[in-house]
Amino acid sequence: MSVLSGKKIILGISGGIAAYKTATLVRLFIKAGAHVQVIMTPASLDFITPLTLSTLSKNPVHSKFYNEEEGAKWNNHVELGLWADIMIIAPATANTLSKMVNGNCDNLLIATYLSAKCPVYFAPAMDLDMYKHPSIVASFNSLNQFGNILIPAETGELASGLTGEGRMAEPENIVAFLEAYLSNKLPLKGKKILITAGPTYEAIDPVRFIGNHSSGKMGYDIAEAAVNLGAQVILVSGPTSIAVKNNSIQLIRVVSAQEMYDKCLEHYETVDVVVAAAAVADYKPKVLEDQKIKKTQASFSIELEKTKDILAALGKTKKNQFLIGFALETENEIENAKLKIQKKNLDLIVLNSLQDCGAGFGKPTNKVTFIDKDFNIEAMELKLKEEVAVDILNKVIKHYHA
């Protein structure tokens, strides 16, 4: 999955012949999973139609401060600027570059640019002599000083018939530039994270098992968030109906605690971080029946034995890994979590309490308390599990960037 997935992108189009390429650019952004809104300068309307771009972006195209056909509805440039995660101006003509530098705010695109709080990229397009002119070079330098990012023009045949530098980067190359730039800026770039998720099923016979109510959502949300932050992710998952959304996640499906134990230890040496979010069974039947147990007695008992403790094994052999465990408690929550940190050599524990409304298995929300190895305690409010996943990974980021 692209790092552009879920990103809100404003594409600003100014009046150059390269504007025809923006149809492909919008299509590629949408294919990458981004949300796109297009703002056109009045001059760009001569090169490509708003209908084309609105159809591809699935959003209305903006080109005026007011839409007369909608009762003079105001296109709020401030809201547009605040909405975006990324703004890209392509093609960026000499005229538009000059306006960006000098704040000459005579159209909606420049007004939105001046209001934007997000990173702004610009892809120049002009003839080769214009591209090398000192005024254009000065515009590039000024925009770079503003923090804007130049997507360099390419060399090729130009609209004038000449061949040289000044041709707007091809849409595929613009997308590749953005993906590479964003990936290198991601805070977990270069980190490898092992995450466990879901329950384990401990077989009694070929039909029955001992399990729990874990859906696996918390672990899957952590995996998705970690990938979006640049990490390489191995997800070891017990039985769950949840599917990974990002194909770059290495998903390893297991059933039993023993299988999860084996896979975690197999990959442990190669990872930087472990987030053990799985609800692993503490006990399993001592004897696995090879045939279905018949209901012939009024009662019967099953002898259980402990499963191997995955977290304890990882903590015992820990070198430089940042080890995060989970604790689901019903009483003496803080003290039990502190004991778990000590016994299993954890760096951080994420404490859940079944006493908290909205927390626990099978819910979209969770309420956690973070306790680190120095017993610093941070209680969080009730949040969506996707938000809790980000909070957990912020602890990892803080560990590596403190």
Side-chain angles (χ1 to χ4, degrees):
M1 182 179 288
S2 171
V3 294
L4 296 176
S5 179
K7 293 287 189 293
K8 294 176 285 189
I9 299 176
I10 285 181
L11 173 60
I13 303 174
S14 56
I17 186 63
Y20 81 91
K21 297 180 180 180
T22 57
T24 300
L25 184 56
V26 170
R27 184 181 63 82
L28 291 174
F29 283 151
I30 295 297
K31 187 177 180 180
H35 308 287
V36 181
Q37 293 205 60
V38 176
I39 302 175
M40 303 179 71
T41 65
S44 69
L45 299 173
D46 293 329
F47 296 94
I48 187 168
T49 69
L51 177 60
T52 298
L53 298 167
S54 64
T55 301
L56 292 170
S57 67
K58 302 178 178 62
N59 278 311
V61 170
H62 310 291
S63 61
K64 302 176 182 178
F65 287 104
Y66 295 93
N67 292 329
E68 288 104 7
E69 65 276 10
E70 296 182 15
K73 180 183 176 183
W74 180 37
N75 288 317
N76 191 325
H77 59 278
V78 175
E79 287 184 0
L80 287 167
L82 294 176
W83 173 83
D85 298 314
I86 298 167
M87 184 174 188
I88 176 168
I89 299 176
T93 60
N95 185 42
T96 292
L97 290 170
S98 177
K99 291 178 179 180
M100 292 167 66
V101 170
N102 295 295
N104 184 3
C105 186
D106 66 350
N107 62 50
L108 181 62
L109 174 56
I110 299 301
T112 304
Y113 162 73
L114 295 173
S115 301
K117 300 296 185 184
C118 61
V120 178
Y121 300 78
F122 61 100
M126 61 197 73
D127 212 73
L128 73 168
D129 293 322
M130 296 173 67
Y131 192 73
K132 296 294 186 182
H133 195 277
S135 65
I136 299 299
V137 174
S139 292
F140 292 164
N141 292 335
S142 294
L143 292 173
N144 284 333
Q145 289 175 5
F146 295 164
N148 301 162
I149 302 111
L150 168 67
I151 302 177
E154 298 176 357
T155 300
E157 185 177 352
L158 305 169
S160 65
L162 299 175
T163 299
E165 194 174 16
R167 180 187 180 104
M168 188 183 88
E170 293 300 316
E172 293 81 2
N173 295 337
I174 290 175
V175 172
F177 183 98
L178 290 173
E179 289 178 331
Y181 196 93
L182 291 172
S183 294
N184 289 330
K185 292 290 184 180
L186 293 174
L188 292 179
K189 178 73 174 179
K191 298 301 178 187
K192 192 173 183 181
I193 301 182
L194 172 67
I195 300 166
T196 66
T200 63
Y201 289 173
E202 310 305 324
I204 298 171
D205 61 22
V207 177
R208 303 175 181 89
F209 61 86
I210 297 172
N212 58 61
H213 297 297
S214 174
S215 67
K217 179 172 171 53
M218 189 73 257
Y220 276 70
D221 286 342
I222 297 168
E224 297 286 348
V227 166
N228 290 336
L229 290 168
Q232 180 182 351
V233 174
I234 301 171
L235 176 60
V236 182
S237 173
T240 175
S241 61
I242 301 176
V244 294
K245 300 173 184 176
N246 195 314
N247 293 332
S248 63
I249 295 173
Q250 182 183 348
L251 176 63
I252 301 173
R253 292 197 178 275
V254 298
V255 176
S256 68
Q258 181 64 51
E259 291 172 341
M260 186 171 284
Y261 177 95
D262 292 339
K263 290 300 179 183
C264 287
L265 266 65
E266 177 184 335
H267 293 279
Y268 187 49
E269 287 290 324
T270 68
V271 302
D272 303 292
V273 181
V274 176
V275 184
V280 183
D282 294 321
Y283 292 90
K284 65 178 182 179
K286 190 170 185 178
V287 176
L288 171 60
E289 301 293 338
D290 57 4
Q291 300 294 326
K292 178 183 175 182
I293 300 171
K294 298 297 183 180
K295 189 169 63 174
T296 57
Q297 303 177 46
S299 65
F300 78 99
S301 61
I302 301 173
E303 187 177 0
L304 302 177
E305 62 182 359
K306 281 188 175 182
T307 58
K308 290 182 179 178
D309 192 319
I310 298 172
L311 261 182
L314 299 181
K316 185 176 181 180
T317 58
K318 183 173 72 171
K319 295 177 181 177
N320 297 315
Q321 293 93 342
F322 189 66
L323 188 56
I324 302 175
F326 274 65
L328 178 63
E329 302 290 345
T330 58
E331 58 181 357
N332 300 323
E333 291 97 340
I334 298 295
E335 292 308 313
N336 286 336
K338 287 180 177 180
L339 287 173
K340 194 170 184 178
I341 291 173
Q342 291 176 316
K343 287 181 179 179
K344 303 187 181 184
N345 192 23
L346 305 182
D347 295 289
L348 180 73
I349 201 160
V350 183
L351 172 63
N352 301 267
S353 172
L354 283 180
Q355 307 301 325
D356 291 322
C357 182
F361 294 142
K363 295 182 174 65
T365 55
N366 208 349
K367 187 175 185 296
V368 304
T369 297
F370 293 113
I371 307 176
D372 66 20
K373 62 182 178 182
D374 297 319
F375 296 158
N376 295 307
I377 299 172
E378 182 181 4
M380 310 298 288
E381 62 186 20
L382 183 70
K383 297 183 180 183
L384 291 172
K385 286 183 176 178
E386 293 89 345
E387 296 173 317
V388 176
V390 173
D391 288 341
I392 292 168
L393 292 170
N394 282 337
K395 297 295 183 182
V396 177
I397 293 168
K398 184 178 179 181
H399 172 75
Y400 285 106
H401 297 279

